[in-house]
Amino acid sequence: MSAVIMIQGTSAAAGKTIFAAALCRLLAEAGWRAAPFCAQTIGADAVNLPQGSLSRSQYLQAEAAGVTPVVEMNPLHLQPLTENSFRLTERGVDKGEISRQDYLAAADTAFDLVLESLQTLLSRYELVVIEGAAAPVELHRPELALPNMRLAQAIKAPVLLISDIDRGGMFAYVAGTLALLPEAQRRLIQAVVVNRFRGFREKLQPGLELLEESINKPVIGVIPYLNLQPLQAADPAQREKREQVYRLLAETVRQNVDLAFIQRLLRQAGDSQDTPKEGDGKSWS
Amino acid sequence: MLKKEKKARTIMVQGTASHVGKSAIAAALCRIFARDGYRVAPFKSWNMALNSYVTKDGGEIGRGQGEQAEAAGIEATVDMNPILIKPAAPGQVQVIVRGQVYGTLGRTHGTEQEYRRFCLQVIAESLNKLRQEYDIIVLEGAGSPAEINLRAQDVANMEAAALAEAPVLLVSDVNRGGAWAAAVGTVLLLPEADRQRVAGFIMNKFRGDDSLLAAAAAAVEKQTGLPVFGVVPFLEEARLPEEDGVALDNLPRSRTAGDGCLQICVLRLPHIANFTDFDALQAEEDAAISFTTEAEELAGADAVIIPGTKNSLLDLEFLRRLELDKVIMQRARQGLPVVGIGGGYQMLGEKLCAAEGSQVEPGLALLPVTTTFSAQQTAGRASAEVLLPFAQGLRVEGYVIQQGETKGQGHCQAALRLDDGSEDGAVSASGQVWGTSLHGIFDLPGLRRAWLNTLRERRGWQPLGARAVEDRAQRFDALADAVEKAIDLPALYRLLGLTKEREEHQP
């Protein structure tokens, strides 16, 4: 199996999508053929591809990675219809309305589709950057298990946990997420990335050290607040604008996140054959 | 009757993050306790807010406490938010103590410790004063109490709880996601003494399937040993005025332009202040309000509003840098309606003269007025007769917070005649551009509708009638009803050492 890395968030909109997009671009710049993946999106915008619809996030990430977007990058999409039902899209094809109960009951079948899609990507690409959905610890939303920890456990993915500090409470979101995960899942989380920071880094530092001590995981980056406008994925006229954003994201992540740490994770995640090797000219730093 | 030497009971609402709905929950508790017959006051020791509320005696406090006092059925006083912090310029933060400007943060006291001691003393005095006068004080925290890098500087969360001897309800935002984790994590990271103060959790802004909530709450109780007092649904009634700019940056667009909607652009100035001015406009069915700095959006709008700002000069410079000044001036000459409120009104004038006298900045020159700044800030409520052509003769109430004075040059049609006989604001010859120092002017339903109808007329649309006046009392009651239904109120009364039925010997 090729190497994977997974990004999960402590809340919705923590910055998973843009962080994954930045990693896609950085990997592409380093010469890797990398693909984005999200097992199951919920309520996301979609872009129409020849094979069907694809979530906007994975479309943008594929563009950032310089690869052709395909429906396998987001095998499942749930569009909430009522409090207890969704419209289900499988690999870009509309499957109609499904109740939450029915969806959960058929989760094993859905999960097979996810693994199959991921396998397709892994056979075509060297690396896959996997984005989770919302947050892994949503005790009242069992449908979030599949795209987060169920997948991570099944493929033993190294997970980076990203948290939005701009709204406050970041330390608690991180510590609480880890506290509520069962040990087998907690072990998969390799490090924390702080997103949307504005303020004085030196004032934050003591807090980060206390957090690392408390959770026994490293904080490998603090990404500054970027005031980004939403990107129009399908609009070819905005291609250049998006390109600027990918470059900005990649550069920002390069400067503020410990990429060597992530590279080590990728190396460990892959098997000997496909593993990125040191000295193979595809280094990040 | 309450004996004077007795102190009010206290309860505090803290959050796992900003914008979890603390203010609304505190307002609901104020209303609930007041309806049960208690004399209730809100309190927020320290508040960083861009939107203000002006008390009857001309003091400036956070908007939230003004609203909560109203929910409690009392007149707000400066003691309810004794320390208010307002960003005024990069690296410059205004400190307002009991309603009056005290100085600039970092310059009021020698050291951070001295400043903190001073804050805690002011807070304790105001809190004790309120505790003499009321039966129950509902305290509100700021941000999260678990900002572990800032605990030593805290005067807003656990320090205030300790001063007030208040049990703490921790509110977590389910809608944002990660709420259970945030609740558990907050308790986990608090030092032991602070953790002891947390009585339990309120899960807020819930929408979805509630069949799994009980199991989730049980997991959190098991992990922390603390109860979940309730799960409050996502409430439209809970949309109380926002206090800071984070809210603007995360504003969902409820309506989009087109589809019979007027597009009204409010400039998203770096030092925007008192943007609650536009809450009422936002509630109108035919108005799509966006806070923006996109030139294209401004150029295509039905109207542009320049809002209040803590720093007219810096924000004017900001507009020039983005060349939005040109867009606005050019489109206004072509007939685009432009409105300025507070600092935005100052920017519409011909000149803005700095306090030191040397600096004179040209304004957008859409109104024949000049502003001369002074170090002194004036704040106060005002009522006036409307002179604006589209709403002539209406009576309006609002408040003014301003640095400096804006005066008409030569003949200039004023917008308002204040009850003290003076005039305020200006209207352009075409009537399309106008400005005023009075905040809250759009809260007047007749004026709001009349102005929107002038915009409709430009589009060739039929005017609409004014909506029924929003009954604020009803809104607070709806909020209180929903929260009362969702939470374990007897448990909260037990925390207070009181009962729902107020007895004569209580507290």
Side-chain angles (χ1 to χ4, degrees):
Chain A
M1 192 185 241
S2 316
V4 295
I5 187 148
M6 187 168 191
I7 318 295
Q8 296 188 10
T10 57
S11 66
K16 292 183 296 292
T17 301
I18 64 147
F19 184 53
L23 289 184
C24 284
R25 170 49 60 96
L26 286 165
L27 288 164
E29 281 178 359
W32 297 101
R33 279 181 304 119
F37 183 74
C38 178
Q40 171 204 298
T41 50
I42 300 184
D45 294 339
V47 178
N48 286 320
L49 302 179
Q51 315 136 286
S53 63
L54 174 70
S55 56
R56 179 176 148 277
S57 297
Q58 277 62 55
Y59 179 93
L60 295 171
Q61 288 160 356
E63 203 172 63
V67 300
T68 309
V70 292
V71 292
E72 282 79 6
M73 291 169 180
N74 175 219
L76 299 169
H77 173 65
L78 300 175
Q79 193 65 37
L81 291 176
T82 69
E83 286 178 358
N84 246 323
S85 67
F86 310 100
R87 176 175 285 277
L88 171 66
T89 307
E90 282 183 2
R91 276 194 207 151
V93 180
D94 182 10
K95 295 287 173 180
E97 184 174 349
I98 187 166
S99 73
R100 180 196 298 245
Q101 284 82 354
D102 289 349
Y103 181 73
L104 291 172
D108 289 345
T109 318
F111 195 58
D112 287 342
L113 183 79
V114 165
L115 290 180
E116 197 187 297
S117 301
L118 180 59
Q119 203 52 55
T120 305
L121 295 181
L122 287 168
S123 66
R124 287 191 214 155
Y125 300 93
E126 293 171 289
L127 300 169
V128 177
V129 178
I130 305 176
E131 181 180 344
V137 184
E138 283 292 62
L139 302 173
H140 64 295
R141 295 179 69 191
E143 69 273 16
L144 288 175
L146 186 152
N148 291 306
M149 281 304 182
R150 179 166 184 187
L151 176 62
Q153 271 188 296
I155 61 170
K156 297 190 180 60
V159 178
L160 300 177
L161 189 63
I162 190 165
S163 190
D164 172 6
I165 195 171
D166 191 44
R167 285 173 159 232
M170 180 276 291
F171 299 110
Y173 275 85
V174 170
T177 300
L178 288 163
L180 284 172
L181 286 175
E183 173 55 29
Q185 297 176 3
R186 181 164 49 229
R187 248 202 319 261
L188 295 170
I189 295 188
Q190 306 297 317
V192 173
V193 174
V194 177
N195 192 25
R196 287 201 198 102
F197 177 67
R198 34 185 167 188
F200 297 105
R201 183 60 207 267
E202 60 274 19
K203 283 196 174 172
L204 179 66
Q205 195 54 37
L208 296 182
E209 283 161 21
L210 285 171
L211 181 70
E212 287 177 327
E213 219 172 278
S214 164
I215 61 176
N216 204 20
K217 312 261 182 200
V219 177
I220 59 159
V222 178
I223 303 172
Y225 184 93
L226 298 172
N227 198 2
L228 295 174
Q229 304 292 329
L231 294 174
Q232 306 299 321
D235 187 354
Q238 298 216 16
R239 181 66 185 86
E240 185 47 37
K241 198 170 165 186
R242 291 197 296 274
E243 184 58 29
Q244 283 168 17
V245 173
Y246 303 143
R247 262 185 248 133
L248 170 70
L249 289 176
E251 198 44 43
T252 308
V253 168
R254 192 204 307 280
Q255 282 171 19
N256 294 286
V257 178
D258 182 356
L259 293 184
F261 184 96
I262 297 175
Q263 201 164 16
R264 277 198 298 278
L265 292 181
L266 281 167
R267 198 171 298 132
Q268 286 157 14
D271 67 18
S272 54
Q273 207 177 357
D274 297 319
T275 305
K277 292 177 194 71
E278 255 173 318
D280 58 6
K282 291 178 179 179
S283 172
W284 269 353
S285 33
Chain B
M1 283 299 290
L2 183 67
K3 292 200 188 88
K4 273 292 168 202
E5 64 270 26
K6 292 226 172 173
K7 275 184 158 184
R9 303 294 167 86
T10 55
I11 192 162
M12 185 163 192
V13 180
Q14 294 188 14
T16 57
S18 302
H19 301 282
V20 297
K22 291 186 297 289
S23 299
I25 297 287
L29 292 181
C30 284
R31 189 73 168 184
I32 291 167
F33 297 144
R35 288 197 305 201
D36 287 345
Y38 291 99
R39 290 175 303 155
V40 190
F43 183 78
K44 184 161 179 167
S45 60
W46 180 100
N47 199 351
M48 183 177 273
L50 302 175
N51 287 327
S52 309
Y53 181 92
V54 174
T55 61
K56 221 171 187 174
D57 53 358
E60 193 180 350
I61 62 172
R63 185 85 187 181
Q65 285 59 61
E67 298 276 331
Q68 288 156 1
E70 203 178 315
I74 59 170
E75 188 67 45
T77 69
V78 292
D79 288 311
M80 293 170 191
N81 173 212
I83 298 180
L84 175 64
I85 303 290
K86 299 179 81 176
Q92 202 182 323
V93 175
Q94 192 179 46
V95 182
I96 292 165
V97 174
R98 289 200 193 99
Q100 303 303 320
V101 176
Y102 187 83
T104 301
L105 192 65
R107 293 186 204 148
T108 55
H109 293 81
T111 66
E112 238 173 70
Q113 287 85 346
E114 279 167 25
Y115 168 69
R116 183 164 181 270
R117 261 201 303 279
F118 164 77
C119 286
L120 288 174
Q121 193 188 334
V122 169
I123 290 164
E125 283 167 13
S126 284
L127 179 63
N128 288 335
K129 191 168 167 217
L130 292 177
R131 289 189 75 178
Q132 301 294 320
E133 293 165 14
Y134 293 92
D135 300 330
I136 299 174
I137 311 293
V138 177
L139 291 90
E140 182 187 334
S144 150
E147 303 299 10
I148 47 184
N149 53 329
L150 302 172
R151 178 62 184 89
Q153 292 147 48
D154 172 42
V155 295
N157 289 308
M158 287 301 178
E159 283 299 309
L163 280 174
E165 308 152 284
V168 173
L169 309 174
L170 198 56
V171 179
S172 196
D173 176 357
V174 182
N175 189 43
R176 180 188 167 193
W180 310 99
V184 169
T186 302
V187 171
L188 206 69
L189 289 177
L190 289 175
E192 184 52 32
D194 291 349
R195 184 162 38 219
Q196 298 277 342
R197 297 215 167 273
V198 181
F201 309 105
I202 292 178
M203 309 308 286
N204 196 24
K205 302 191 202 178
F206 171 74
R207 35 185 162 193
D209 172 18
D210 59 7
S211 63
L212 296 156
L213 286 176
V220 165
E221 293 193 25
K222 189 177 158 222
Q223 185 92 21
T224 59
L226 294 169
V228 174
F229 287 117
V231 180
V232 178
F234 194 96
L235 299 169
E236 274 307 311
E237 300 89 327
R239 284 199 47 194
L240 292 184
E242 297 289 354
E243 291 199 324
D244 65 39
V246 175
L248 284 183
D249 299 334
N250 295 298
L251 200 68
R253 289 205 178 174
S254 50
R255 275 176 228 103
T256 44
D259 304 331
C261 254
L262 297 162
Q263 193 192 345
I264 298 170
C265 290
V266 179
L267 287 182
R268 174 67 175 97
L269 301 173
H271 300 93
I272 189 168
N274 300 304
F275 52 84
T276 45
D277 277 348
F278 315 110
D279 286 359
L281 274 179
Q282 219 152 356
E284 291 286 350
E285 285 164 51
D286 60 337
I289 311 284
S290 62
F291 289 83
T292 184
T293 53
E294 296 282 318
E296 272 173 48
E297 216 178 330
L298 293 182
D302 288 285
V304 169
I305 301 179
I306 311 185
T309 157
K310 281 298 289 175
N311 201 319
S312 312
L313 287 172
L314 281 182
D315 282 356
L316 194 55
E317 209 180 295
F318 169 81
L319 291 188
R320 287 212 184 92
R321 208 163 49 236
L322 297 185
E323 299 193 336
L324 296 178
D325 57 334
K326 288 184 195 146
V327 177
I328 296 166
M329 287 157 79
Q330 188 193 349
R331 291 285 288 114
R333 276 196 294 273
Q334 295 162 356
L336 173 75
V338 180
V339 177
I341 310 282
Y345 164 48
Q346 297 176 334
M347 288 154 80
L348 288 180
E350 282 169 0
K351 278 185 290 186
L352 294 87
C353 310
E356 292 76 24
S358 54
Q359 193 193 0
V360 178
E361 284 291 323
L364 300 180
L366 295 174
L367 292 174
V369 297
T370 296
T371 299
T372 310
F373 293 103
S374 60
Q376 209 65 27
Q377 172 171 303
T378 50
R381 290 189 193 172
S383 46
E385 182 194 336
V386 179
L387 305 177
L388 293 163
F390 57 85
Q392 206 148 25
L394 294 178
R395 298 225 18 104
V396 62
E397 282 174 29
Y399 62 98
V400 175
I401 303 171
Q402 63 180 358
Q403 246 125 10
E405 198 181 3
T406 306
K407 272 189 183 161
Q409 291 179 315
H411 176 73
C412 166
Q413 162 76 53
L416 305 172
R417 183 180 295 113
L418 300 173
D419 286 359
D420 66 6
S422 63
E423 290 186 335
D424 175 82
V427 188
S428 69
S430 69
Q432 299 293 358
V433 181
W434 57 274
T436 173
S437 309
L438 195 76
H439 292 287
I441 190 164
F442 286 119
D443 290 344
L444 184 70
L447 182 142
R448 187 168 72 231
R449 178 39 59 196
W451 182 63
L452 290 174
N453 281 342
T454 65
L455 305 182
R456 294 181 69 86
E457 202 184 319
R458 288 169 49 82
R459 282 237 189 176
W461 296 349
Q462 289 297 312
L464 296 181
R467 290 194 316 161
V469 181
E470 310 86 356
D471 187 335
R472 293 173 61 78
Q474 268 176 17
R475 207 165 118 243
F476 286 128
D477 277 332
L479 172 65
D481 288 344
V483 172
E484 186 165 348
K485 202 172 125 200
I487 58 168
D488 183 357
L489 189 59
L492 298 197
Y493 270 116
R494 280 196 296 279
L495 287 176
L496 287 163
L498 301 171
T499 54
K500 186 166 165 61
E501 282 72 39
R502 183 171 190 260
E503 292 162 28
E504 273 307 293
H505 62 270
Q506 283 186 345

